[in-house]
Amino acid sequence: MRTRITVPDDSLTRLRIALTVFFALDGFVFAGWVVRIPAIKEQTGASASALGLALLGVSAGAVITMMLTGRLCRRYGTHRVTVVCAVLLSLSVALPPLTHSAVALGAVLLIFGAAYGSINVAFNSAAVDLVGALRRPIMPSFHAAFSLGGMLGAGLGGLVAGALSPTRHLFGLTVIGLLVTAVAGRTLLRIPAPTPAQDVPRQTSAPRRQGSRTRGLVVTFGLIALCTAYGEGALADWSALHLEHDLDATPGVAAVGYSCFALAMTIGRLTGTRLLERLGQTRTLVGGGATAALGMLLGALAPSVWAALLGFMITGLGLANLFPVAVERAGRLAGPDGVAIASTLGYGGMLLGPPAIGFMADWFSLPAALTSVAALAATAAVIALLTRRAAG
């Protein structure tokens, strides 16, 4: 049995608010960078292929550092690592507009990706501790904050793109990030990380008693995260092209495709806690995967734009809670290392999705390639169903 650290209820509430702020900040900063990619491409003079390789630096930096971050969290604590990584993320987002070649851009994006991946492991690990202490499935609410922060960051970036250069815009994000970190970080550093109540010892002691079995389960939940992130990456990069080229949508309508998906995912995460309390984790995973599979089949194969947009929204609702639940379960089983493994696999899926869709589109067609998102969502549902007893 682990000795429980008693944290007052008001402290847990303040801790939840602080973590929510960091999740939102992460989405806000990342989206702010994404909307300036076209301007930075023009500044560096990079070709489409060179830019694509440079952008891989974000995913590569994240994947490389995630496992290291798990070890740092064990040694120094999730709250300290979260604050340090938030500072690094805020500082590194100002670097891309300072580059003037694709090679230099790729190098600084490795740093940005490392900070981005590290903070995701750190605050997800801290959130897992809080979920265990509160004994409520609130993990989706944190990821909803990330989605809302991303929508706010993208919206703000679109508004200032015509008035501010990328250098000034992203430096502004640095200032905002450091100010938010200074305020929310004080709360995070003052409150100790809570431990789960003693009536759930199987989850906290499982790594010591059944190391190989636990690691297998962590990898299983990581595969669910991979299937989810594959879909997110694919829709982010290919949904607009599908609508415009295959369904003859105007560029403006085509751009709405991913927005519909992202909005539906945010709504799904905002209602995720209630859904988990009513259905439980296994039913939520199975139902979400099945819903996403059906939605993506509609989105990929529908003969009209509006039916495809409806399919994208159904896909977003289905995928919304798969990643948060998978990461939370992996963290409850193996702590920060579990979060790191699941997150690494998840980012691997996001890294794999866009190029895989591109190759399949060349071999077959883009609508056929997009059905792979449905196939992996269904795979996630099957994995959750087959491992329901072991995961319990």
Side-chain angles (χ1 to χ4, degrees), residues 197-219:
Q198 291 183 352
D199 58 355
V200 288
R202 285 188 301 173
Q203 295 167 334
T204 56
S205 60
R208 294 191 293 271
R209 297 205 313 263
Q210 301 180 20
S212 60
R213 176 178 178 272
T214 298
R215 189 173 183 86
L217 284 173
V218 168
V219 171

Side-chain angles (χ1 to χ4, degrees), residues 212-283:
S212 60
R213 176 178 178 272
T214 298
R215 189 173 183 86
L217 284 173
V218 168
V219 171
T220 297
F221 284 110
L223 291 175
I224 293 175
L226 183 152
C227 293
T228 305
Y230 177 96
E232 291 187 53
L235 281 166
D237 285 11
W238 293 101
S239 58
L241 192 65
H242 168 57
L243 293 173
E244 188 171 346
H245 285 194
D246 297 319
L247 299 177
D248 297 322
T250 64
V253 173
V256 172
Y258 183 71
S259 299
C260 289
F261 169 79
L263 178 61
M265 178 170 278
T266 302
I267 294 171
R269 287 174 170 174
L270 287 171
T271 59
T273 295
R274 182 172 298 179
L275 190 68
L276 285 164
E277 288 176 334
R278 176 167 295 185
L279 300 181
Q281 290 182 336
T282 298
R283 289 181 180 177

